Amino acid sequence: MVLGRQGSGKGTQCARLAERFGIRHVSTGDLLRDAVRAGTEMGKRVAPLVESGALVPDATVVDLVCDEAQRSDWEHNGFVLDGFPRTVAQAESFFSLVGTLDEDRSSHPDVGLDAAIALEVPVEEVVQRLARRRVCPVCGTIVTVDDASVDQVPCPLGHGPAVRREDDEPRALRRRLRLYEEETGPLLPWFEERHLLHRVDGVGDPDGVFERVLEALGALLDLQP
Ligand code: ADP
């Protein structure tokens, strides 16, 4: 799983890991935004939270990820978790739940976590990055604008305008960054105590960061069959 404050490039690095290793990329942010867009019961409940940059209740995201685990076979094939767990309570309840999903362990073996990658990028840098991030609401493609005052740019895939994500607005962003320190920060020592934490410098171009992520995973990947 990959941890990192908003704008640290978590989504990008998770997508690369998923592609490189042929595993599933599970992003709770994307799953929640899909639910909001689809207007499901849960989507309606969480919409104001996601849009304002508040955290969705632990039980809701844990259910979401467990459903996803049960629905697909990602626990057999491997997966990269993006944006989850985001609180110590989520980590504890998820890892105890997935270990006991089913009486019959053959269909739901324990989900082991191999590594937690913490992408480290200073606050000032992520604020600058997110001020220039525009996202296509249709396909999710991210466009980085040179001038932060430009509100809309065309989606490179031709869907229409790529816009500022609602929770990238300055107020919501400040709230998300604060929540990251308060709620997600304590997960770092939690993973460290379990000898799972790898800190990676997230500053620089995405290729260079990916090299460092692979390097951090190196010893672990050597152990894979
Ligand atoms: P970011 O990491 O940049 O905030 P995400 O796309 O990961 O972006 O998440 C967007 C929003 O979805 C969060 O601000 C929060 O409202 C909600 N969310 C995503 N993952 C979780 C989680 N594990 N626990 C609680 N809320 C979550």
Side-chain angles (χ1 to χ4, degrees):
M1 55 138 323
V2 181
L3 278 160
R5 55 168 64 92
Q6 294 73 13
S8 61
K10 237 177 332 107
T12 306
Q13 298 300 325
C14 285
R16 288 182 182 218
L17 282 170
E19 197 190 345
R20 169 69 66 97
F21 299 108
I23 57 180
R24 228 177 103 87
H25 175 185
V26 180
S27 155
T28 42
D30 286 347
L31 290 172
L32 290 166
R33 280 188 292 273
D34 287 347
V36 170
R37 217 171 300 134
T40 64
E41 205 47 52
M42 186 270 281
K44 284 187 197 138
R45 250 190 0 252
V46 302
L49 299 171
V50 173
E51 280 153 17
S52 66
L55 285 184
V56 168
D58 289 337
T60 308
V61 272
V62 171
D63 278 356
L64 186 71
V65 178
C66 285
D67 281 355
E68 197 63 23
Q70 267 176 316
R71 227 160 28 85
S72 55
D73 61 352
W74 55 261
E75 69 263 47
H76 296 112
N77 298 330
F79 54 92
V80 50
L81 281 174
D82 171 358
F84 180 90
R86 199 171 287 217
T87 64
V88 169
Q90 288 179 13
E92 288 183 338
S93 84
F94 180 66
F95 292 111
S96 66
L97 272 174
V98 287
T100 53
L101 270 182
D102 204 304
E103 297 280 285
D104 172 13
R105 291 296 179 82
S106 59
S107 58
H108 294 293
D110 286 5
V111 174
L113 182 74
D114 296 319
I117 299 279
L119 278 183
E120 301 193 311
V121 181
V123 175
E124 315 80 70
E125 161 102 14
V126 300
V127 168
Q128 300 231 342
R129 287 186 187 179
L130 294 181
R132 297 178 18 223
R133 169 164 93 174
R134 303 292 176 270
V135 185
C136 170
V138 179
C139 65
T141 299
I142 294 176
V143 184
T144 304
V145 295
D146 291 329
D147 175 356
S149 67
V150 173
D151 281 333
Q152 299 194 347
V153 284
C155 161
L157 304 181
H159 291 119
V163 295
R164 209 186 282 264
R165 225 169 75 177
E166 205 154 340
D167 60 353
D168 281 348
E169 298 292 343
R171 251 174 86 98
L173 178 59
R174 274 198 301 277
R175 177 177 203 177
R176 286 157 64 212
L177 286 168
R178 186 167 38 77
L179 281 172
Y180 182 83
E181 304 307 324
E182 290 170 4
E183 302 286 345
T184 311
L187 269 176
L188 298 178
W190 193 87
F191 283 119
E192 202 151 36
E193 280 161 23
R194 288 159 181 80
H195 308 291
L196 290 168
L197 189 71
H198 303 261
R199 294 175 189 270
V200 172
D201 178 6
V203 178
D205 70 285
D207 291 342
V209 177
F210 191 52
E211 284 308 309
R212 291 197 285 277
V213 169
L214 293 178
E215 226 169 84
L217 291 174
L220 188 81
L221 298 176
D222 289 344
L223 299 175
Q224 304 284 313

